[in-house]
Amino acid sequence: MVGIGKWQFSVNTIFYKGSAVLEIKDNNGKYAFNVEAPGMKKMPDYFINNVKVNEKTNTLLVTGGSDMLPGKEVEVRATFNGDRCDGYVKVPFLGKVAIKDGKKIG
């Protein structure tokens, strides 16, 4: 499975500035995700609709949403290269937010 582990990212948006941690786990052959943003008052609930994997490029394309954005879709594209990760998060009303220099921490 692509990207398994804990990854730390620097986030700089109007809603949150700081380090976020994304944990990607293998849940009996299916992907499971946990997101932490220390200092954020309340992490919004989210759901995953679909996970596509490109093992040749070590890329995950994840789509989902949140009750905070009813009827809108969030897209995350992450490419893993050793202990580094780059990509983007596409959020309604914010647009594409780059993921740069993500690093594996566990």
Side-chain angles (χ1 to χ4, degrees), residues 8-13 15-21 36-40:
Q8 184 175 38
F9 302 93
S10 179
V11 179
N12 187 4
T13 69
F15 299 107
Y16 178 76
K17 288 180 174 63
S19 290
V21 175
E36 298 174 13
M40 183 177 254

Side-chain angles (χ1 to χ4, degrees), residues 10-103:
S10 179
V11 179
N12 187 4
T13 69
I14 61 173
F15 299 107
Y16 178 76
K17 288 180 174 63
S19 290
V21 175
L22 168 64
E23 184 174 15
I24 304 172
K25 299 184 273 187
D26 175 354
N27 184 14
N28 295 319
K30 294 185 179 185
Y31 282 93
F33 303 91
N34 183 48
V35 179
E36 298 174 13
M40 183 177 254
K41 290 181 182 178
K42 180 179 177 342
M43 175 65 77
D45 291 333
Y46 61 89
F47 54 88
I48 305 298
N49 288 333
N50 193 25
V51 178
K52 291 183 183 177
V53 181
N54 184 328
E55 294 200 19
K56 288 183 181 180
T57 62
N58 288 325
T59 300
L60 292 178
L61 180 62
V62 181
T63 56
S66 170
D67 291 342
M68 288 181 56
L69 299 166
K72 304 291 184 193
E73 186 173 77
V74 175
E75 177 181 290
V76 179
R77 180 184 181 95
T79 300
F80 301 90
N81 185 7
D83 64 350
R84 296 288 179 201
C85 176
D86 294 295
Y88 65 82
V89 179
K90 189 175 177 184
V91 182
F93 311 112
L94 277 183
K96 263 188 195 179
V97 178
I99 298 172
K100 294 182 183 176
D101 299 323
K103 61 184 174 184

